[in-house]
Amino acid sequence: MSSELDKALEEIQRELWADYTETVIDHAQNPRNVGRIPNADGSAIVTGPCGDTMDIWLKVKDNTIKEITFWTDGCGTSIAAGSMVTEMAKGKSVIQASKIRQQDVLDALGGLPEDSVHCALLAANTLNAAIKDYLAYKNEPWKRDYRKQE
Ligand code: FES
């Protein structure tokens, strides 16, 4: 009985993900770098064209992104894109990571259906905004605490 149910569920999953690559499915179902970094050196929350949001937090040491995490209230594809963009940025210099664009995320995921390409844009834009936030406070980190009290 339960094996029939398992088979039916597997079939539904297969149909749901039929248009996606193995990489997308893997990152959507086993997302890397999920969560928040307390006292992050840079962070951003961005709302995509579909209304979904993504957060990214990062820690930087010696101009290198040592730790990076994300969270999204978006679809499975946005989870895959957030997971991938954080994997791509981790260990890169801030400058290298700031060059990651939507197309790079799409390429790393092996492509996305047309309806979902904006999920990669949301991930790339959120990474970029988190890096900008880091750079804005890099030399005067006390200003971050000052802003929190506003
Ligand atoms: Fe909105 Fe994927 S991020 S549908």
Side-chain angles (χ1 to χ4, degrees):
M1 177 75 174
S2 89
S3 86
E4 273 179 39
L5 189 61
D6 289 344
K7 275 185 195 160
L9 282 172
E10 262 176 44
E11 186 59 30
I12 291 168
Q13 285 286 340
R14 241 195 314 276
E15 281 173 25
L16 273 175
W17 290 104
D19 296 333
Y20 297 90
T21 65
E22 285 298 319
T23 307
V24 174
I25 297 168
D26 178 35
H27 279 265
Q29 295 183 341
N30 309 291
R32 284 67 151 180
N33 313 311
V34 175
R36 155 191 285 269
I37 299 174
N39 298 316
D41 296 323
S43 66
I45 178 166
V46 173
T47 301
C50 60
D52 295 334
T53 60
M54 186 174 291
D55 292 74
I56 285 185
W57 296 268
L58 43 92
K59 274 276 188 202
V60 177
K61 197 163 183 237
D62 301 328
N63 278 321
T64 299
I65 297 180
K66 292 289 182 193
E67 229 185 303
I68 178 166
T69 59
F70 84 101
W71 183 87
T72 181
D73 60 6
C75 59
T77 316
S78 65
I79 295 170
S83 172
M84 181 56 85
V85 85
T86 53
E87 282 290 277
M88 292 168 76
K90 195 165 39 177
K92 285 208 168 64
S93 73
V94 172
I95 297 298
Q96 282 175 319
S98 73
K99 292 179 182 159
I100 295 172
R101 297 285 179 265
Q102 176 187 24
Q103 190 59 50
D104 302 313
V105 180
L106 287 170
D107 291 347
L109 289 169
L112 286 173
E114 196 52 43
D115 291 357
S116 302
V117 292
H118 71 274
C119 307
L121 179 65
L122 176 59
N125 284 349
T126 311
L127 171 64
N128 221 269
I131 290 172
K132 279 189 182 144
D133 180 65
Y134 161 70
L135 292 172
Y137 292 96
K138 183 177 175 257
N139 296 324
E140 297 165 307
W142 61 270
K143 281 189 178 172
R144 189 181 295 285
D145 293 333
Y146 187 76
R147 186 183 64 172
K148 279 181 197 155
Q149 289 165 20
E150 284 173 356

